[in-house]
Amino acid sequence: LDIIKKFAEKGFLISPSLAPKITDHLKFLNFLEENFQNKISVVTENIYNDFLSKSGVIKEPEIIKKKEFKRDSSKVEIKKIYEHENRKRDITDWVAYYNDRFEQIRNLLLHRIELQSAVSINRILTKREGEVTTIGMVKSISKSKFGNFIIELEDNTGIIKGIISKNSACIEKTDEVVEDEVIGVVGSKSKDLIFIKDIIFPDVPEKEIKKYDEDVYACFIADTHIGSKMFLPKAFNRFIKWLNLEMGNEKQKEIASKIRYLFVVGDLVDGVGIYPEQENELLINDIYKQYEEFAKLFQKIPEKINIIICPGNHDALRIAEPQHALYDDIAKPVYELQNVIMTSNPSYVNIHAIDDFPGFDVLLYHGYSLDYFVANVPKLRQYGYERADLLMKFLLRKRHLAPTHGSTLLAPMRNDFLVIDKVPDIFATAHIHKAKIGCYRNVINICCSCWQDRTVFQERVGHVPEPGRVPIFNLKTREVKIMRFI
Ligand SMILES: [Fe+2]
């Protein structure tokens, strides 16, 4: 009882069944204060297990039980999912993390003809003069007073400076170079410098064009932000009605009848304690009740539609990426829906691999890093949030979902889970509350809209969301149409 009292004083409610299991009270309380202060009040067993795994004790919450979901005329397979790592983390993880990123992307770059003869940086430093090719992580970028572009490249053998003259044919490419990404360069070495003639981004190869031979549809939504006062129930209910063939013209109803997949790309709920004074903007200020309400709404979706869900930065788990699938106790009512499939952010999910058809690989990423790149990359800044398609293309070309340190919060880990190691058929993201469709080298880019009206914060920063739009992908024609419910 003492334990329960001690935690309650700090605002955390411990169930009588969990209390006896807690061995190191002080450490656990510190962990809660660091990660969950003002966010949750009820401490579940999964949170305790999460604490144990982070402190190096092996015990893992059983979040994902199944990876393949086969039904009558549909199939979903989770191809790559981030799960808990059961060990203590420290500073060496960061070193391993960046080494792993470097190795993964270097291997991709080595497939490029231009980089066949790439050598390590120390070999360039010791080599006297002449043509050189290398691969490195961008340590810094700057512009000289004469307008030349200066770049520092690093690998695990050394650091070298490169210059791209403002008159160079590749000067335009410098507009999209960002720190910490891995690139290849071709140039000539003189003194301690490389005079760079070309920059090679890892990029994606042309993707094969897959088409299923019948009309089947997948739709993409995100950012429902249940619990927020700005949630738009009318628009959302129209969407639900349409899915149930209770709304729309004949053609629209026909489409609805053939939907087998619904992706929900994060921010299911508005959360609690996500930003200062959020409580003033909440209709439901209990995280459990928010998921309960989410489940109530999604329960009305026809059972034959597979609902594939990944978390976002407002959901109830650590904000640092990658984010594992939602906790099965906090989001229990959502887990209880028969047609729900939970995955991580990011993750790869294959849909509709039926008979001989290989299915479509969908890369899901909520999109937290988009804010950073829209603000910091000159080439992207000019379009602002209007061109999510360009932002997605940018990430594909980097083969990374958050190439710059600080573009998203990262959890240190041995492997860089944010590398786009597989080229998807569809890349789906959200977070910016505006729907946009694009296609880059046959990879279909879908940015989802939201179901939340303009918030005080968005008003302050001058962001105009476009809620109530739903991109709908036809597996037969590969067309994506945006339907409006507002
Ligand atoms: Fe978000």
Side-chain angles (χ1 to χ4, degrees):
L1 267 175
D2 268 1
I3 299 160
I4 297 175
K5 230 171 128 187
K6 202 159 100 192
F7 279 78
E9 277 165 14
K10 300 276 181 183
F12 296 107
L13 302 176
I14 306 275
S15 69
S17 64
L18 177 61
K21 292 181 192 163
I22 301 169
T23 50
D24 197 335
H25 306 132
L26 264 181
K27 265 195 184 163
F28 184 45
L29 197 53
N30 280 342
F31 169 82
L32 290 175
E33 285 179 317
E34 261 172 44
N35 294 286
F36 295 101
Q37 190 82 73
N38 299 326
K39 280 193 182 177
I40 57 156
S41 49
V42 181
V43 178
T44 67
E45 200 129 325
N46 270 344
I47 290 175
Y48 183 61
N49 290 340
D50 201 10
F51 159 74
L52 289 179
S53 77
K54 277 182 186 125
S55 19
V57 184
I58 308 290
K59 194 167 185 210
E60 187 181 352
E62 226 188 278
I63 286 181
I64 304 302
K65 284 145 194 135
K66 252 175 79 184
K67 293 203 170 123
E68 208 184 289
F69 306 81
K70 210 173 163 199
R71 307 206 283 161
D72 253 3
S73 54
S74 67
K75 191 175 161 188
V76 176
E77 196 184 340
I78 298 177
K79 291 272 186 178
K80 193 178 170 197
I81 182 166
Y82 173 76
E83 286 166 287
H84 278 262
E85 282 177 81
N86 299 315
R87 38 169 212 89
K88 217 170 171 168
R89 296 188 176 124
D90 57 40
I91 192 77
T92 63
D93 284 319
W94 284 114
V95 180
Y97 172 81
Y98 279 104
N99 275 334
D100 181 64
R101 173 188 302 189
F102 181 71
E103 280 308 315
Q104 283 197 59
I105 298 187
R106 189 175 77 109
N107 287 334
L108 295 172
L109 281 163
L110 284 172
H111 286 108
R112 304 289 298 270
I113 300 161
E114 307 95 310
L115 296 173
Q116 291 296 305
S117 57
V119 295
S120 61
I121 287 173
N122 68 345
R123 282 188 56 197
I124 295 182
L125 287 167
T126 51
K127 188 180 166 184
R128 282 177 208 116
E129 311 285 293
E131 299 294 305
V132 290
T133 308
T134 192
I135 293 167
M137 190 173 278
V138 178
K139 189 172 158 58
S140 74
I141 47 177
S142 57
K143 259 201 176 136
S144 79
K145 55 183 170 187
F146 307 110
N148 300 324
F149 192 81
I150 300 160
I151 190 167
E152 261 187 312
L153 285 179
E154 182 176 20
D155 69 5
N156 34 31
T157 70
I159 299 170
I160 196 162
K161 235 183 203 175
I163 289 190
I164 298 147
S165 147
K166 64 173 179 207
N167 305 317
S168 160
C170 76
I171 191 73
E172 247 182 56
K173 284 192 185 172
T174 61
D175 263 0
E176 55 174 315
V177 174
V178 293
E179 280 174 8
D180 312 316
E181 70 165 316
V182 181
I183 58 170
V185 296
V186 180
S188 58
K189 191 205 160 205
S190 168
K191 303 251 170 66
D192 294 334
L193 289 172
I194 305 178
F195 289 88
I196 296 170
K197 289 180 206 145
D198 200 9
I199 296 173
I200 290 118
F201 295 111
D203 218 326
V204 292
E206 203 91 3
K207 184 79 182 170
E208 63 161 317
I209 296 178
K210 290 177 192 163
K211 285 178 178 176
Y212 188 65
D213 53 17
E214 280 167 49
D215 281 318
V216 176
Y217 295 87
C219 36
F220 294 80
I221 65 166
D223 294 280
T224 35
H225 287 267
I226 303 297
S228 161
K229 280 182 186 165
M230 305 314 266
F231 170 64
L232 295 159
K234 272 190 194 152
F236 194 76
N237 280 323
R238 273 197 283 270
F239 171 60
I240 301 275
K241 275 194 159 172
W242 170 64
L243 292 178
N244 283 291
L245 318 185
E246 290 161 13
M247 245 185 109
N249 59 34
E250 283 316 302
K251 176 75 195 147
Q252 289 164 337
K253 281 183 187 167
E254 197 198 319
I255 292 173
S257 72
K258 291 174 179 168
I259 294 172
R260 291 291 175 276
Y261 308 95
L262 168 65
F263 286 91
V264 185
V265 194
D267 285 0
L268 282 65
V269 297
D270 205 47
V272 177
I274 305 287
Y275 54 88
E277 291 174 44
Q278 187 189 15
E279 58 275 16
N280 301 332
E281 296 185 45
L282 288 178
L283 195 67
I284 307 169
N285 51 23
D286 175 314
I287 191 75
Y288 290 85
K289 296 223 168 83
Q290 290 182 358
Y291 284 110
E292 228 174 86
E293 182 62 24
F294 179 95
K296 242 187 232 165
L297 290 165
F298 277 70
Q299 191 178 26
K300 298 180 198 154
I301 292 171
E303 234 253 22
K304 62 170 193 254
I305 299 176
N306 298 283
I307 307 171
I308 303 130
I309 296 177
C310 81
N313 56 306
H314 277 256
D315 285 296
L317 69 161
R318 70 156 192 228
I319 193 173
E321 292 170 357
Q323 294 180 302
H324 56 73
L326 292 168
Y327 287 110
D328 60 2
D329 42 16
I330 299 181
K332 191 165 178 248
V334 188
Y335 272 88
E336 280 167 356
L337 300 176
Q338 287 306 304
N339 47 346
V340 155
I341 295 148
M342 292 288 195
T343 187
S344 63
N345 168 41
S347 57
Y348 285 88
V349 176
N350 181 281
I351 55 164
H352 217 67
I354 283 181
D355 301 326
D356 292 335
F357 187 66
F360 286 90
D361 288 321
V362 185
L363 167 59
L364 296 173
Y365 174 55
H366 175 64
Y368 194 78
S369 72
L370 299 181
D371 286 327
Y372 176 91
F373 294 111
V374 116
N376 290 289
V377 181
K379 205 179 162 171
L380 300 167
R381 193 165 42 213
Q382 55 181 314
Y383 303 106
Y385 286 103
E386 296 307 312
R387 296 298 303 270
D389 56 325
L390 295 183
L391 282 159
M392 298 174 84
K393 170 183 164 184
F394 167 85
L395 297 178
L396 285 172
R397 278 166 65 74
K398 310 287 177 209
R399 295 297 289 266
H400 202 280
L401 295 166
T404 304
H405 191 83
S407 59
T408 192
L409 280 156
L410 283 172
M413 53 202 156
R414 299 261 158 102
N415 307 316
D416 188 348
F417 198 85
L418 299 178
V419 172
I420 303 174
D421 54 352
K422 265 173 61 134
V423 183
D425 297 292
I426 299 170
F427 174 20
T429 192
H431 184 62
I432 66 172
H433 293 207
K434 251 178 193 301
K436 188 84 187 171
I437 310 303
C439 186
Y440 178 61
R441 301 203 155 167
N442 301 331
V443 178
I444 295 163
N445 291 327
I446 297 175
C447 186
C448 303
S449 154
C450 63
W451 303 90
Q452 186 188 33
D453 210 348
R454 200 177 190 198
T455 62
V456 175
F457 173 75
Q458 289 167 341
E459 226 164 278
R460 208 182 319 134
V461 297
H463 183 59
V464 187
E466 280 176 358
R469 271 83 164 162
V470 180
I472 297 145
F473 174 70
N474 182 331
L475 278 64
K476 185 181 177 186
T477 64
R478 295 174 62 92
E479 269 179 333
V480 189
K481 285 199 174 117
I482 297 183
M483 262 179 84
R484 287 182 61 158
F485 293 89
I486 202 161

